[in-house]
Each structure stands twice: as C-alpha cells, then as structure tokens.
Amino acid sequence: MRMVGAISILFSAMSYLFIVRTIRMDQERLVQDLLAAIESIETAIRWEKTTLPDSIARQASRGSAGGYFSEITERMKSDITLQQAWIDTFKTIDTKEISRILCAVSLSGDSTFLQDQLAFAAEQIREFQQKEREGKQEKQKLRVALAFSAAGLVIILLL
C-alpha cells in the first residue's frame, strides 16, 4: 500500500512537470505567432501598401495568435476604434510582458510612424524571447528539483 502511495505521489510530480511544460510550449508558440504576425503586418504596410485593418484581418488565419486578430476585427465592426480594439484584445494575453509590449503600440499616424511602431514592438518581442531562452534551462532544472523534492518529502512524511 505504501508503495502504491509513493508511486502515486511521484506520478503526480511528473504530471505537474508535464503540464507546466505543455503550458510553456503553448506560450512560446503564441509569442512566436504574435511576432510573425506583427512582422507580417509591418511588411504588408511597407511593401504592399495594405491598410492596417486589412493587414490585421489577414492575420486571423494564424495558428495560436489568429484568434486575437479575429477578435480585433470583430471589435472594430462593433464601432470600437482600432486602437481601443487592439488594446482591449491584447491586454488579455497571459504573458504580461508581451501584453505590455503590444498594448504600447500606437496605431495612429502615417505609415512610416506605424511601421516604426510595429518594428519596435517586434524587436522588443525578440528581446523577450531571448531573455526567456536564457533562463529556460535553469528554471526547468529548478522546477524539476522542487517537484521531486516535494514529492520525496511527502513520501517520507507518509511513511
């Protein structure tokens, strides 16, 4: 009976680590999709001379980030300004740093100003990704150590 309990506790620790890893990978995928979308919008404005609302609507087909751009488009149809729709949508992102970066983008002014805003946001997202990559291994090692230490402690206390 004790062995089954110990195995259950260790399985719970491994499940926790798997769930955290899945969530982290989903967040990384979202950040990468958002970066690609911002760069695509900038390119569409710069080279194709596409309007900003049309450029945003094109991004709705993106994987994990597409829903955010669909939401912006839908909010604009509800007579909400583009800037407000952009802020209201991106303030809901779980990664607060990415949310802050995207909400700070000013969508007014001429195309040059807009391109600069989008390029700056893309650069900040790249810097965020780099920072996350640098600390990723250490955080993972710490998380594994804590999960298995806690599981070991619980097993010892229950025995």
Side-chain angles (χ1 to χ4, degrees):
M1 186 62 125
R2 290 180 181 178
M3 186 61 97
V4 171
I7 291 171
S8 296
I9 291 169
L10 289 174
F11 180 73
S12 296
M14 289 186 332
S15 296
Y16 162 75
L17 292 172
F18 178 75
I19 289 169
V20 168
R21 180 176 175 259
T22 303
I23 290 170
R24 187 178 39 78
M25 288 175 59
D26 288 346
Q27 287 177 338
E28 288 174 5
R29 198 172 306 118
L30 173 63
V31 170
Q32 186 59 42
D33 273 356
L34 287 168
L35 175 60
I38 296 298
E39 289 173 336
S40 178
I41 291 170
E42 179 194 1
T43 300
I45 292 170
R46 181 181 308 265
W47 301 111
E48 299 170 16
K49 304 298 182 201
T50 307
T51 65
L52 183 57
D54 290 340
S55 300
I56 289 172
R58 283 187 192 175
Q59 304 309 312
S61 63
R62 287 203 176 270
S64 55
Y68 291 102
F69 294 101
S70 295
E71 186 176 334
I72 291 170
T73 303
E74 289 303 314
R75 286 178 189 247
M76 286 182 353
K77 290 178 184 175
S78 303
D79 292 332
I80 296 176
T81 64
L82 174 57
Q83 184 70 53
Q84 193 59 48
W86 180 274
I87 291 170
D88 290 348
T89 300
F90 287 126
K91 72 181 178 186
T92 63
I93 292 178
D94 289 335
T95 310
K96 295 303 175 198
E97 181 68 16
I98 297 299
S99 176
R100 184 195 61 74
I101 291 168
L102 293 174
C103 287
V105 173
S106 176
L107 302 176
S108 60
D110 64 356
S111 65
T112 304
F113 178 76
L114 188 55
Q115 291 165 23
D116 291 343
Q117 287 286 301
L118 293 169
F120 183 68
E123 183 59 34
Q124 286 183 312
I125 292 172
R126 276 190 223 92
E127 288 173 8
F128 171 79
Q129 284 180 314
Q130 183 62 31
K131 247 186 345 185
E132 287 295 307
R133 284 186 194 122
E134 289 172 0
K136 181 178 170 181
Q137 281 187 332
E138 287 185 29
K139 288 179 186 177
Q140 183 63 21
K141 286 178 187 177
L142 181 61
R143 198 174 290 121
V144 168
L146 287 173
F148 284 117
S149 295
L153 183 62
V154 169
I155 291 170
I156 290 170
L157 290 174
L158 292 177
L159 294 179

mmCIF file of all heavy atoms in Angstrom, residues 101-151:
data_model
loop_
_atom_site.group_PDB
_atom_site.id
_atom_site.type_symbol
_atom_site.label_atom_id
_atom_site.label_comp_id
_atom_site.label_asym_id
_atom_site.label_seq_id
_atom_site.Cartn_x
_atom_site.Cartn_y
_atom_site.Cartn_z
ATOM 1 N N ILE A 101 3.947 45.083 -24.230
ATOM 2 C CA ILE A 101 4.593 45.491 -25.479
ATOM 3 C C ILE A 101 3.545 45.803 -26.545
ATOM 4 O O ILE A 101 3.598 46.842 -27.203
ATOM 5 C CB ILE A 101 5.560 44.404 -25.982
ATOM 6 C CG1 ILE A 101 6.769 44.295 -25.064
ATOM 7 C CG2 ILE A 101 6.000 44.681 -27.425
ATOM 8 C CD1 ILE A 101 7.628 43.060 -25.310
ATOM 9 N N LEU A 102 2.585 44.904 -26.710
ATOM 10 C CA LEU A 102 1.586 45.083 -27.765
ATOM 11 C C LEU A 102 0.611 46.209 -27.454
ATOM 12 O O LEU A 102 0.195 46.931 -28.364
ATOM 13 C CB LEU A 102 0.843 43.774 -28.011
ATOM 14 C CG LEU A 102 1.709 42.666 -28.616
ATOM 15 C CD1 LEU A 102 0.939 41.361 -28.691
ATOM 16 C CD2 LEU A 102 2.220 43.071 -29.991
ATOM 17 N N CYS A 103 0.244 46.379 -26.192
ATOM 18 C CA CYS A 103 -0.676 47.459 -25.838
ATOM 19 C C CYS A 103 -0.019 48.838 -25.994
ATOM 20 O O CYS A 103 -0.713 49.840 -26.166
ATOM 21 C CB CYS A 103 -1.189 47.278 -24.414
ATOM 22 S SG CYS A 103 -2.378 45.927 -24.246
ATOM 23 N N ALA A 104 1.302 48.882 -25.952
ATOM 24 C CA ALA A 104 2.019 50.156 -26.096
ATOM 25 C C ALA A 104 2.136 50.614 -27.550
ATOM 26 O O ALA A 104 2.520 51.755 -27.803
ATOM 27 C CB ALA A 104 3.409 50.043 -25.482
ATOM 28 N N VAL A 105 1.792 49.744 -28.502
ATOM 29 C CA VAL A 105 1.887 50.108 -29.915
ATOM 30 C C VAL A 105 0.821 51.152 -30.234
ATOM 31 O O VAL A 105 -0.362 50.949 -29.978
ATOM 32 C CB VAL A 105 1.704 48.867 -30.827
ATOM 33 C CG1 VAL A 105 1.635 49.277 -32.291
ATOM 34 C CG2 VAL A 105 2.812 47.867 -30.596
ATOM 35 N N SER A 106 1.265 52.268 -30.776
ATOM 36 C CA SER A 106 0.344 53.326 -31.199
ATOM 37 C C SER A 106 -0.006 53.106 -32.665
ATOM 38 O O SER A 106 0.872 53.050 -33.520
ATOM 39 C CB SER A 106 0.994 54.698 -31.015
ATOM 40 O OG SER A 106 0.136 55.703 -31.511
ATOM 41 N N LEU A 107 -1.291 52.987 -32.950
ATOM 42 C CA LEU A 107 -1.744 52.685 -34.312
ATOM 43 C C LEU A 107 -2.221 53.928 -35.043
ATOM 44 O O LEU A 107 -3.043 53.849 -35.942
ATOM 45 C CB LEU A 107 -2.863 51.636 -34.262
ATOM 46 C CG LEU A 107 -2.496 50.317 -33.589
ATOM 47 C CD1 LEU A 107 -3.699 49.405 -33.523
ATOM 48 C CD2 LEU A 107 -1.344 49.643 -34.314
ATOM 49 N N SER A 108 -1.704 55.073 -34.666
ATOM 50 C CA SER A 108 -2.085 56.306 -35.339
ATOM 51 C C SER A 108 -0.887 56.852 -36.092
ATOM 52 O O SER A 108 0.222 56.367 -35.944
ATOM 53 C CB SER A 108 -2.586 57.331 -34.315
ATOM 54 O OG SER A 108 -1.560 57.604 -33.391
ATOM 55 N N GLY A 109 -1.131 57.850 -36.887
ATOM 56 C CA GLY A 109 -0.043 58.474 -37.629
ATOM 57 C C GLY A 109 0.075 57.923 -39.044
ATOM 58 O O GLY A 109 -0.717 57.096 -39.485
ATOM 59 N N ASP A 110 1.106 58.381 -39.724
ATOM 60 C CA ASP A 110 1.303 57.948 -41.108
ATOM 61 C C ASP A 110 1.921 56.549 -41.146
ATOM 62 O O ASP A 110 2.257 55.965 -40.121
ATOM 63 C CB ASP A 110 2.151 58.959 -41.876
ATOM 64 C CG ASP A 110 3.569 59.076 -41.335
ATOM 65 O OD1 ASP A 110 3.881 58.434 -40.319
ATOM 66 O OD2 ASP A 110 4.361 59.810 -41.936
ATOM 67 N N SER A 111 2.081 56.021 -42.346
ATOM 68 C CA SER A 111 2.559 54.649 -42.492
ATOM 69 C C SER A 111 3.991 54.480 -41.970
ATOM 70 O O SER A 111 4.326 53.437 -41.411
ATOM 71 C CB SER A 111 2.455 54.185 -43.947
ATOM 72 O OG SER A 111 3.315 54.936 -44.771
ATOM 73 N N THR A 112 4.812 55.490 -42.100
ATOM 74 C CA THR A 112 6.185 55.402 -41.603
ATOM 75 C C THR A 112 6.204 55.279 -40.082
ATOM 76 O O THR A 112 6.922 54.442 -39.526
ATOM 77 C CB THR A 112 7.003 56.629 -42.039
ATOM 78 O OG1 THR A 112 6.938 56.741 -43.459
ATOM 79 C CG2 THR A 112 8.446 56.516 -41.597
ATOM 80 N N PHE A 113 5.402 56.099 -39.419
ATOM 81 C CA PHE A 113 5.320 56.029 -37.961
ATOM 82 C C PHE A 113 4.793 54.664 -37.529
ATOM 83 O O PHE A 113 5.308 54.048 -36.593
ATOM 84 C CB PHE A 113 4.413 57.141 -37.422
ATOM 85 C CG PHE A 113 4.235 57.099 -35.932
ATOM 86 C CD1 PHE A 113 5.244 57.539 -35.092
ATOM 87 C CD2 PHE A 113 3.062 56.603 -35.377
ATOM 88 C CE1 PHE A 113 5.086 57.491 -33.712
ATOM 89 C CE2 PHE A 113 2.901 56.548 -33.999
ATOM 90 C CZ PHE A 113 3.909 57.001 -33.165
ATOM 91 N N LEU A 114 3.786 54.184 -38.213
ATOM 92 C CA LEU A 114 3.188 52.887 -37.897
ATOM 93 C C LEU A 114 4.190 51.750 -38.105
ATOM 94 O O LEU A 114 4.303 50.851 -37.267
ATOM 95 C CB LEU A 114 1.949 52.669 -38.771
ATOM 96 C CG LEU A 114 1.094 51.462 -38.464
ATOM 97 C CD1 LEU A 114 0.639 51.450 -37.020
ATOM 98 C CD2 LEU A 114 -0.116 51.455 -39.389
ATOM 99 N N GLN A 115 4.938 51.820 -39.183
ATOM 100 C CA GLN A 115 5.970 50.810 -39.439
ATOM 101 C C GLN A 115 7.019 50.814 -38.328
ATOM 102 O O GLN A 115 7.466 49.760 -37.874
ATOM 103 C CB GLN A 115 6.635 51.068 -40.787
ATOM 104 C CG GLN A 115 5.742 50.824 -41.967
ATOM 105 C CD GLN A 115 6.303 51.428 -43.240
ATOM 106 O OE1 GLN A 115 7.500 51.658 -43.354
ATOM 107 N NE2 GLN A 115 5.445 51.697 -44.199
ATOM 108 N N ASP A 116 7.399 52.014 -37.896
ATOM 109 C CA ASP A 116 8.378 52.127 -36.815
ATOM 110 C C ASP A 116 7.841 51.541 -35.511
ATOM 111 O O ASP A 116 8.558 50.854 -34.785
ATOM 112 C CB ASP A 116 8.782 53.592 -36.596
ATOM 113 C CG ASP A 116 9.598 54.156 -37.741
ATOM 114 O OD1 ASP A 116 10.123 53.357 -38.553
ATOM 115 O OD2 ASP A 116 9.704 55.400 -37.833
ATOM 116 N N GLN A 117 6.571 51.805 -35.230
ATOM 117 C CA GLN A 117 5.942 51.258 -34.027
ATOM 118 C C GLN A 117 5.929 49.731 -34.057
ATOM 119 O O GLN A 117 6.269 49.077 -33.073
ATOM 120 C CB GLN A 117 4.497 51.772 -33.890
ATOM 121 C CG GLN A 117 4.374 53.213 -33.495
ATOM 122 C CD GLN A 117 4.714 53.393 -32.027
ATOM 123 O OE1 GLN A 117 4.086 52.799 -31.161
ATOM 124 N NE2 GLN A 117 5.713 54.199 -31.750
ATOM 125 N N LEU A 118 5.553 49.179 -35.199
ATOM 126 C CA LEU A 118 5.483 47.719 -35.328
ATOM 127 C C LEU A 118 6.878 47.089 -35.279
ATOM 128 O O LEU A 118 7.073 46.044 -34.659
ATOM 129 C CB LEU A 118 4.749 47.340 -36.605
ATOM 130 C CG LEU A 118 3.256 47.711 -36.633
ATOM 131 C CD1 LEU A 118 2.691 47.545 -38.032
ATOM 132 C CD2 LEU A 118 2.480 46.898 -35.627
ATOM 133 N N ALA A 119 7.853 47.739 -35.913
ATOM 134 C CA ALA A 119 9.227 47.230 -35.886
ATOM 135 C C ALA A 119 9.786 47.266 -34.467
ATOM 136 O O ALA A 119 10.470 46.326 -34.036
ATOM 137 C CB ALA A 119 10.113 48.042 -36.830
ATOM 138 N N PHE A 120 9.485 48.319 -33.740
ATOM 139 C CA PHE A 120 9.947 48.424 -32.356
ATOM 140 C C PHE A 120 9.308 47.342 -31.493
ATOM 141 O O PHE A 120 9.981 46.713 -30.667
ATOM 142 C CB PHE A 120 9.635 49.819 -31.804
ATOM 143 C CG PHE A 120 10.142 50.040 -30.408
ATOM 144 C CD1 PHE A 120 11.502 50.102 -30.157
ATOM 145 C CD2 PHE A 120 9.255 50.186 -29.352
ATOM 146 C CE1 PHE A 120 11.976 50.304 -28.866
ATOM 147 C CE2 PHE A 120 9.721 50.379 -28.062
ATOM 148 C CZ PHE A 120 11.081 50.441 -27.818
ATOM 149 N N ALA A 121 8.017 47.104 -31.676
ATOM 150 C CA ALA A 121 7.328 46.050 -30.921
ATOM 151 C C ALA A 121 7.926 44.683 -31.246
ATOM 152 O O ALA A 121 8.147 43.861 -30.348
ATOM 153 C CB ALA A 121 5.832 46.066 -31.228
ATOM 154 N N ALA A 122 8.203 44.440 -32.519
ATOM 155 C CA ALA A 122 8.802 43.162 -32.920
ATOM 156 C C ALA A 122 10.173 42.986 -32.271
ATOM 157 O O ALA A 122 10.500 41.885 -31.794
ATOM 158 C CB ALA A 122 8.911 43.088 -34.444
ATOM 159 N N GLU A 123 10.949 44.042 -32.229
ATOM 160 C CA GLU A 123 12.277 43.970 -31.604
ATOM 161 C C GLU A 123 12.158 43.682 -30.107
ATOM 162 O O GLU A 123 12.916 42.878 -29.558
ATOM 163 C CB GLU A 123 13.053 45.268 -31.837
ATOM 164 C CG GLU A 123 14.449 45.248 -31.283
ATOM 165 C CD GLU A 123 15.317 44.143 -31.853
ATOM 166 O OE1 GLU A 123 15.167 43.794 -33.043
ATOM 167 O OE2 GLU A 123 16.154 43.606 -31.099
ATOM 168 N N GLN A 124 11.210 44.303 -29.448
ATOM 169 C CA GLN A 124 11.007 44.049 -28.023
ATOM 170 C C GLN A 124 10.563 42.606 -27.775
ATOM 171 O O GLN A 124 10.988 41.992 -26.797
ATOM 172 C CB GLN A 124 9.969 45.011 -27.446
ATOM 173 C CG GLN A 124 10.484 46.417 -27.274
ATOM 174 C CD GLN A 124 9.445 47.303 -26.634
ATOM 175 O OE1 GLN A 124 8.285 47.316 -27.047
ATOM 176 N NE2 GLN A 124 9.843 48.036 -25.612
ATOM 177 N N ILE A 125 9.736 42.077 -28.648
ATOM 178 C CA ILE A 125 9.304 40.684 -28.514
ATOM 179 C C ILE A 125 10.497 39.754 -28.700
ATOM 180 O O ILE A 125 10.646 38.774 -27.968
ATOM 181 C CB ILE A 125 8.160 40.360 -29.494
ATOM 182 C CG1 ILE A 125 6.896 41.133 -29.089
ATOM 183 C CG2 ILE A 125 7.879 38.857 -29.537
ATOM 184 C CD1 ILE A 125 5.753 41.046 -30.093
ATOM 185 N N ARG A 126 11.356 40.042 -29.670
ATOM 186 C CA ARG A 126 12.562 39.229 -29.870
ATOM 187 C C ARG A 126 13.459 39.257 -28.629
ATOM 188 O O ARG A 126 14.007 38.229 -28.218
ATOM 189 C CB ARG A 126 13.348 39.714 -31.085
ATOM 190 C CG ARG A 126 12.843 39.144 -32.381
ATOM 191 C CD ARG A 126 13.810 39.450 -33.535
ATOM 192 N NE ARG A 126 13.013 39.839 -34.676
ATOM 193 C CZ ARG A 126 12.666 41.078 -35.009
ATOM 194 N NH1 ARG A 126 13.096 42.094 -34.324
ATOM 195 N NH2 ARG A 126 11.920 41.319 -36.061
ATOM 196 N N GLU A 127 13.610 40.432 -28.028
ATOM 197 C CA GLU A 127 14.407 40.546 -26.808
ATOM 198 C C GLU A 127 13.782 39.734 -25.679
ATOM 199 O O GLU A 127 14.493 39.073 -24.910
ATOM 200 C CB GLU A 127 14.539 42.011 -26.394
ATOM 201 C CG GLU A 127 15.443 42.820 -27.291
ATOM 202 C CD GLU A 127 15.425 44.307 -26.971
ATOM 203 O OE1 GLU A 127 14.821 44.714 -25.947
ATOM 204 O OE2 GLU A 127 16.021 45.079 -27.752
ATOM 205 N N PHE A 128 12.459 39.780 -25.564
ATOM 206 C CA PHE A 128 11.759 38.978 -24.557
ATOM 207 C C PHE A 128 12.013 37.491 -24.783
ATOM 208 O O PHE A 128 12.302 36.758 -23.837
ATOM 209 C CB PHE A 128 10.248 39.272 -24.611
ATOM 210 C CG PHE A 128 9.434 38.341 -23.771
ATOM 211 C CD1 PHE A 128 9.339 38.520 -22.403
ATOM 212 C CD2 PHE A 128 8.762 37.268 -24.350
ATOM 213 C CE1 PHE A 128 8.593 37.650 -21.624
ATOM 214 C CE2 PHE A 128 8.014 36.395 -23.588
ATOM 215 C CZ PHE A 128 7.925 36.585 -22.211
ATOM 216 N N GLN A 129 11.921 37.055 -26.037
ATOM 217 C CA GLN A 129 12.179 35.647 -26.355
ATOM 218 C C GLN A 129 13.599 35.256 -25.965
ATOM 219 O O GLN A 129 13.820 34.173 -25.412
ATOM 220 C CB GLN A 129 11.974 35.383 -27.849
ATOM 221 C CG GLN A 129 10.542 35.315 -28.277
ATOM 222 C CD GLN A 129 10.425 35.063 -29.774
ATOM 223 O OE1 GLN A 129 11.114 35.702 -30.572
ATOM 224 N NE2 GLN A 129 9.563 34.138 -30.145
ATOM 225 N N GLN A 130 14.559 36.107 -26.258
ATOM 226 C CA GLN A 130 15.949 35.816 -25.926
ATOM 227 C C GLN A 130 16.129 35.687 -24.418
ATOM 228 O O GLN A 130 16.803 34.780 -23.943
ATOM 229 C CB GLN A 130 16.874 36.915 -26.486
ATOM 230 C CG GLN A 130 18.339 36.665 -26.259
ATOM 231 C CD GLN A 130 18.832 35.400 -26.938
ATOM 232 O OE1 GLN A 130 18.331 35.002 -27.977
ATOM 233 N NE2 GLN A 130 19.803 34.761 -26.334
ATOM 234 N N LYS A 131 15.544 36.605 -23.669
ATOM 235 C CA LYS A 131 15.619 36.548 -22.208
ATOM 236 C C LYS A 131 15.014 35.251 -21.678
ATOM 237 O O LYS A 131 15.554 34.612 -20.786
ATOM 238 C CB LYS A 131 14.869 37.738 -21.600
ATOM 239 C CG LYS A 131 15.733 38.707 -20.905
ATOM 240 C CD LYS A 131 15.006 39.808 -20.166
ATOM 241 C CE LYS A 131 13.573 40.020 -20.483
ATOM 242 N NZ LYS A 131 12.972 41.168 -19.827
ATOM 243 N N GLU A 132 13.882 34.872 -22.239
ATOM 244 C CA GLU A 132 13.203 33.640 -21.808
ATOM 245 C C GLU A 132 14.056 32.420 -22.125
ATOM 246 O O GLU A 132 14.120 31.487 -21.325
ATOM 247 C CB GLU A 132 11.833 33.524 -22.465
ATOM 248 C CG GLU A 132 10.809 34.475 -21.902
ATOM 249 C CD GLU A 132 10.477 34.193 -20.452
ATOM 250 O OE1 GLU A 132 10.133 33.051 -20.119
ATOM 251 O OE2 GLU A 132 10.584 35.138 -19.640
ATOM 252 N N ARG A 133 14.674 32.395 -23.285
ATOM 253 C CA ARG A 133 15.514 31.255 -23.671
ATOM 254 C C ARG A 133 16.716 31.112 -22.738
ATOM 255 O O ARG A 133 17.127 30.002 -22.411
ATOM 256 C CB ARG A 133 15.994 31.406 -25.104
ATOM 257 C CG ARG A 133 14.943 31.100 -26.118
ATOM 258 C CD ARG A 133 15.506 31.131 -27.535
ATOM 259 N NE ARG A 133 14.409 31.170 -28.473
ATOM 260 C CZ ARG A 133 14.213 32.121 -29.373
ATOM 261 N NH1 ARG A 133 15.081 33.111 -29.477
ATOM 262 N NH2 ARG A 133 13.183 32.089 -30.176
ATOM 263 N N GLU A 134 17.294 32.238 -22.351
ATOM 264 C CA GLU A 134 18.470 32.206 -21.484
ATOM 265 C C GLU A 134 18.157 31.602 -20.119
ATOM 266 O O GLU A 134 18.955 30.863 -19.569
ATOM 267 C CB GLU A 134 19.048 33.616 -21.321
ATOM 268 C CG GLU A 134 19.714 34.135 -22.572
ATOM 269 C CD GLU A 134 20.105 35.593 -22.469
ATOM 270 O OE1 GLU A 134 19.858 36.232 -21.417
ATOM 271 O OE2 GLU A 134 20.659 36.112 -23.454
ATOM 272 N N GLY A 135 16.998 31.912 -19.574
ATOM 273 C CA GLY A 135 16.655 31.411 -18.256
ATOM 274 C C GLY A 135 15.868 30.109 -18.272
ATOM 275 O O GLY A 135 15.546 29.563 -17.219
ATOM 276 N N LYS A 136 15.578 29.609 -19.450
ATOM 277 C CA LYS A 136 14.708 28.438 -19.595
ATOM 278 C C LYS A 136 15.281 27.189 -18.925
ATOM 279 O O LYS A 136 14.580 26.519 -18.167
ATOM 280 C CB LYS A 136 14.479 28.184 -21.084
ATOM 281 C CG LYS A 136 13.583 27.044 -21.418
ATOM 282 C CD LYS A 136 13.434 26.978 -22.935
ATOM 283 C CE LYS A 136 12.746 25.729 -23.386
ATOM 284 N NZ LYS A 136 12.633 25.673 -24.829
ATOM 285 N N GLN A 137 16.528 26.868 -19.181
ATOM 286 C CA GLN A 137 17.116 25.651 -18.630
ATOM 287 C C GLN A 137 17.220 25.711 -17.111
ATOM 288 O O GLN A 137 16.922 24.732 -16.429
ATOM 289 C CB GLN A 137 18.487 25.386 -19.238
ATOM 290 C CG GLN A 137 18.417 24.780 -20.613
ATOM 291 C CD GLN A 137 19.796 24.368 -21.106
ATOM 292 O OE1 GLN A 137 20.795 24.960 -20.716
ATOM 293 N NE2 GLN A 137 19.834 23.368 -21.960
ATOM 294 N N GLU A 138 17.630 26.843 -16.595
ATOM 295 C CA GLU A 138 17.745 26.977 -15.152
ATOM 296 C C GLU A 138 16.386 26.851 -14.476
ATOM 297 O O GLU A 138 16.261 26.196 -13.441
ATOM 298 C CB GLU A 138 18.402 28.300 -14.790
ATOM 299 C CG GLU A 138 19.883 28.335 -15.091
ATOM 300 C CD GLU A 138 20.533 29.617 -14.621
ATOM 301 O OE1 GLU A 138 20.048 30.218 -13.641
ATOM 302 O OE2 GLU A 138 21.530 30.008 -15.239
ATOM 303 N N LYS A 139 15.379 27.484 -15.053
ATOM 304 C CA LYS A 139 14.028 27.387 -14.491
ATOM 305 C C LYS A 139 13.527 25.954 -14.530
ATOM 306 O O LYS A 139 12.899 25.492 -13.578
ATOM 307 C CB LYS A 139 13.059 28.295 -15.264
ATOM 308 C CG LYS A 139 13.244 29.758 -15.011
ATOM 309 C CD LYS A 139 12.268 30.571 -15.838
ATOM 310 C CE LYS A 139 12.519 32.054 -15.717
ATOM 311 N NZ LYS A 139 11.621 32.838 -16.574
ATOM 312 N N GLN A 140 13.807 25.254 -15.638
ATOM 313 C CA GLN A 140 13.362 23.873 -15.768
ATOM 314 C C GLN A 140 14.053 22.979 -14.731
ATOM 315 O O GLN A 140 13.405 22.144 -14.107
ATOM 316 C CB GLN A 140 13.617 23.349 -17.183
ATOM 317 C CG GLN A 140 13.127 21.942 -17.428
ATOM 318 C CD GLN A 140 11.623 21.800 -17.281
ATOM 319 O OE1 GLN A 140 10.872 22.757 -17.364
ATOM 320 N NE2 GLN A 140 11.190 20.586 -17.061
ATOM 321 N N LYS A 141 15.353 23.156 -14.553
ATOM 322 C CA LYS A 141 16.082 22.369 -13.558
ATOM 323 C C LYS A 141 15.536 22.628 -12.157
ATOM 324 O O LYS A 141 15.349 21.701 -11.369
ATOM 325 C CB LYS A 141 17.575 22.706 -13.595
ATOM 326 C CG LYS A 141 18.308 22.155 -14.779
ATOM 327 C CD LYS A 141 19.772 22.596 -14.735
ATOM 328 C CE LYS A 141 20.506 22.200 -15.997
ATOM 329 N NZ LYS A 141 21.898 22.699 -15.981
ATOM 330 N N LEU A 142 15.285 23.880 -11.860
ATOM 331 C CA LEU A 142 14.746 24.243 -10.554
ATOM 332 C C LEU A 142 13.362 23.646 -10.356
ATOM 333 O O LEU A 142 13.056 23.112 -9.281
ATOM 334 C CB LEU A 142 14.710 25.767 -10.412
ATOM 335 C CG LEU A 142 14.191 26.316 -9.090
ATOM 336 C CD1 LEU A 142 15.066 25.845 -7.938
ATOM 337 C CD2 LEU A 142 14.148 27.829 -9.139
ATOM 338 N N ARG A 143 12.533 23.720 -11.370
ATOM 339 C CA ARG A 143 11.179 23.175 -11.295
ATOM 340 C C ARG A 143 11.200 21.666 -11.056
ATOM 341 O O ARG A 143 10.453 21.149 -10.225
ATOM 342 C CB ARG A 143 10.426 23.511 -12.590
ATOM 343 C CG ARG A 143 8.951 23.393 -12.488
ATOM 344 C CD ARG A 143 8.255 23.867 -13.761
ATOM 345 N NE ARG A 143 8.357 25.312 -13.913
ATOM 346 C CZ ARG A 143 8.917 25.931 -14.944
ATOM 347 N NH1 ARG A 143 9.412 25.251 -15.955
ATOM 348 N NH2 ARG A 143 8.956 27.243 -15.002
ATOM 349 N N VAL A 144 12.077 20.958 -11.758
ATOM 350 C CA VAL A 144 12.197 19.504 -11.586
ATOM 351 C C VAL A 144 12.682 19.185 -10.181
ATOM 352 O O VAL A 144 12.136 18.307 -9.495
ATOM 353 C CB VAL A 144 13.140 18.898 -12.657
ATOM 354 C CG1 VAL A 144 13.497 17.465 -12.320
ATOM 355 C CG2 VAL A 144 12.494 18.977 -14.034
ATOM 356 N N ALA A 145 13.699 19.900 -9.731
ATOM 357 C CA ALA A 145 14.239 19.663 -8.390
ATOM 358 C C ALA A 145 13.181 19.914 -7.317
ATOM 359 O O ALA A 145 13.038 19.114 -6.381
ATOM 360 C CB ALA A 145 15.462 20.539 -8.157
ATOM 361 N N LEU A 146 12.438 20.993 -7.456
ATOM 362 C CA LEU A 146 11.410 21.305 -6.471
ATOM 363 C C LEU A 146 10.282 20.274 -6.478
ATOM 364 O O LEU A 146 9.809 19.854 -5.412
ATOM 365 C CB LEU A 146 10.843 22.705 -6.722
ATOM 366 C CG LEU A 146 11.750 23.861 -6.346
ATOM 367 C CD1 LEU A 146 11.135 25.188 -6.796
ATOM 368 C CD2 LEU A 146 12.003 23.878 -4.846
ATOM 369 N N ALA A 147 9.854 19.867 -7.671
ATOM 370 C CA ALA A 147 8.751 18.900 -7.767
ATOM 371 C C ALA A 147 9.143 17.573 -7.132
ATOM 372 O O ALA A 147 8.381 17.005 -6.332
ATOM 373 C CB ALA A 147 8.356 18.699 -9.228
ATOM 374 N N PHE A 148 10.323 17.074 -7.464
ATOM 375 C CA PHE A 148 10.724 15.782 -6.910
ATOM 376 C C PHE A 148 11.143 15.882 -5.443
ATOM 377 O O PHE A 148 10.960 14.930 -4.680
ATOM 378 C CB PHE A 148 11.811 15.137 -7.776
ATOM 379 C CG PHE A 148 11.247 14.565 -9.038
ATOM 380 C CD1 PHE A 148 11.627 15.059 -10.266
ATOM 381 C CD2 PHE A 148 10.303 13.540 -9.005
ATOM 382 C CE1 PHE A 148 11.090 14.546 -11.446
ATOM 383 C CE2 PHE A 148 9.763 13.019 -10.166
ATOM 384 C CZ PHE A 148 10.150 13.519 -11.393
ATOM 385 N N SER A 149 11.663 17.022 -5.024
ATOM 386 C CA SER A 149 11.973 17.202 -3.600
ATOM 387 C C SER A 149 10.675 17.224 -2.780
ATOM 388 O O SER A 149 10.609 16.596 -1.720
ATOM 389 C CB SER A 149 12.734 18.513 -3.379
ATOM 390 O OG SER A 149 13.978 18.457 -3.998
ATOM 391 N N ALA A 150 9.688 17.945 -3.278
ATOM 392 C CA ALA A 150 8.399 17.986 -2.585
ATOM 393 C C ALA A 150 7.769 16.599 -2.553
ATOM 394 O O ALA A 150 7.230 16.175 -1.522
ATOM 395 C CB ALA A 150 7.464 18.974 -3.264
ATOM 396 N N ALA A 151 7.832 15.869 -3.668
ATOM 397 C CA ALA A 151 7.286 14.509 -3.705
ATOM 398 C C ALA A 151 8.027 13.613 -2.717
ATOM 399 O O ALA A 151 7.402 12.843 -1.968
ATOM 400 C CB ALA A 151 7.375 13.938 -5.119
#
